[in-house]
Amino acid sequence: MKELAGRLTALDPDAGAAVRVIAYFDRLSEARAGLEALVRGAAVLAGVPARLVDVERRVQVRVEADGTRRDSGAPPDPGWPTTALAPGGAAALWLERTEAPPSVVDAVILERAAGAVRLVLDRTRGRAPVDDPALVETVLDATAPEAARLHAARGLGLEITASARALAPFDGRPRIAAGRADTELPAGRVGVGPAVPVLDLPRSWADARTALRFTAQGTAQDPGPKIVYADELGGVALLAHLVAPGAEPPPDVQALEAAGAAAPWLLGTLHAVVSTASLRAAAAEINVHHSTLQDRLSHAEHLLGWPLRTPQGRLRLQLALTMRHLARS
């Protein structure tokens, strides 16, 4: 390579310099150099400061042209020569060159350095989280070997020692999110599994699918929460083992369906009654006068056949509404 670079330099100085750049970063990669060494190489070869920024993986490295590391919180100048670490990605490597247009050698430095940096990040910090259905399926598969699940988790950028949750969307493929996941939830009905170590995600996935059965569309004819956390269900989760989806609904659920068909307001009203602290709060929730709610409850009691204003009646109603979700999911 050194001989080739010498010959090319005699013919075309830029071509010779480009070959030396390629050989330089190949040697660093073979030696498994770290991020700072790679950014330093780019800065020294280019003769200007070089900067690496990967916000998602919280990586920021800046090295001066003399090889001194000196990070900066100032945003990169859009006019600097730059290349993304991956097509369309936000993470990038810059050369802080402002006094002259970028050269062919600059382009080679950026391309080779960025490629080497990308390999180091993937090896040491995991890939930035991606929505790879095959990897997610492997991580959530209880029958997959542990080694395969660990490999898939690393491919998704999951920290093996951290906790994560499985998400079960009603319309969509499974997902995995870190922590409580409030900011990462897809739209629509979602069951959220408990936060567990990565190797326990198959259990979180099973619980997420159970939680999904307790969700609702949040409409007048299907009132209820769109998002249900499995670890907030407690003993109510046991109902999922008693009410099979698609089987003949329990009698109280059949009574609810018949009553809802007779009075379109009924299901929304009854959900407000069981999900608020008092009847006045329920009336405010559905924007009706307290006396109107009392009239509705009297009519609902007549249609259902049991009282709704006693503790036992409210509990029976809440169980019936919950079983209605389980029976149709």
Side-chain angles (χ1 to χ4, degrees), residues 139-140 142 166 193-197 199-209 230:
V139 172
L140 300 180
V196 297
L199 283 177
D200 287 339
L201 277 169
R203 174 171 62 85
S204 182
W205 170 237
D207 290 346
R209 285 182 293 170

Side-chain angles (χ1 to χ4, degrees), residues 187-281:
R189 293 169 53 195
V190 184
V192 183
V196 297
V198 166
L199 283 177
D200 287 339
L201 277 169
R203 174 171 62 85
S204 182
W205 170 237
D207 290 346
R209 285 182 293 170
T210 297
L212 176 63
R213 296 185 58 202
F214 288 86
T215 63
Q217 295 178 5
T219 64
Q221 295 307 309
D222 189 20
K226 291 184 179 181
I227 299 167
V228 171
Y229 286 84
D231 45 12
E232 296 178 356
L233 285 172
V236 175
L238 296 173
L239 285 175
H241 301 289
L242 302 177
V243 182
E248 182 176 358
D252 281 359
V253 174
Q254 295 182 39
L256 270 178
E257 296 289 5
W265 49 263
L266 183 134
L267 293 173
T269 297
L270 297 185
H271 172 71
V273 168
V274 300
S275 61
T276 55
S278 66
L279 292 183
R280 290 196 178 277

Side-chain angles (χ1 to χ4, degrees), residues 131-133 136-137 140 166-169 172-176 205 209:
D131 188 15
D132 186 323
V136 172
E137 179 181 322
L140 300 180
L167 309 181
R173 54 179 181 253
R175 290 178 55 180
I176 298 171
W205 170 237
R209 285 182 293 170

Side-chain angles (χ1 to χ4, degrees), residues 25 28 32-43 50-54 57-63 69 85 93 113-125:
F25 283 108
L28 288 181
R32 300 175 76 82
L35 296 176
E36 185 172 333
L38 292 169
V39 178
R40 179 176 292 108
R51 183 188 303 205
L52 166 67
V53 178
D54 186 340
R57 285 183 278 204
R58 299 181 181 178
V59 174
Q60 181 164 303
V61 179
R62 181 181 179 276
V63 178
R69 178 162 179 173
L85 299 189
L93 183 68
V117 164
R118 181 171 59 250
L119 292 176
V120 172
L121 285 171
D122 286 351
R123 186 175 77 243
T124 62
R125 308 198 183 203

Side-chain angles (χ1 to χ4, degrees), residues 283-298:
E285 177 75 17
I286 57 176
N287 198 29
V288 299
H289 193 272
H290 182 258
S291 61
T292 302
L293 177 61
Q294 293 287 358
D295 292 340
R296 287 188 177 187
L297 288 178
S298 297

Side-chain angles (χ1 to χ4, degrees), residues 274-275 313-323:
V274 300
S275 61
R314 283 168 61 94
L315 175 60
R316 182 176 177 181
L317 173 61
Q318 188 160 17
L319 289 173
L321 288 168
T322 300
M323 290 188 294

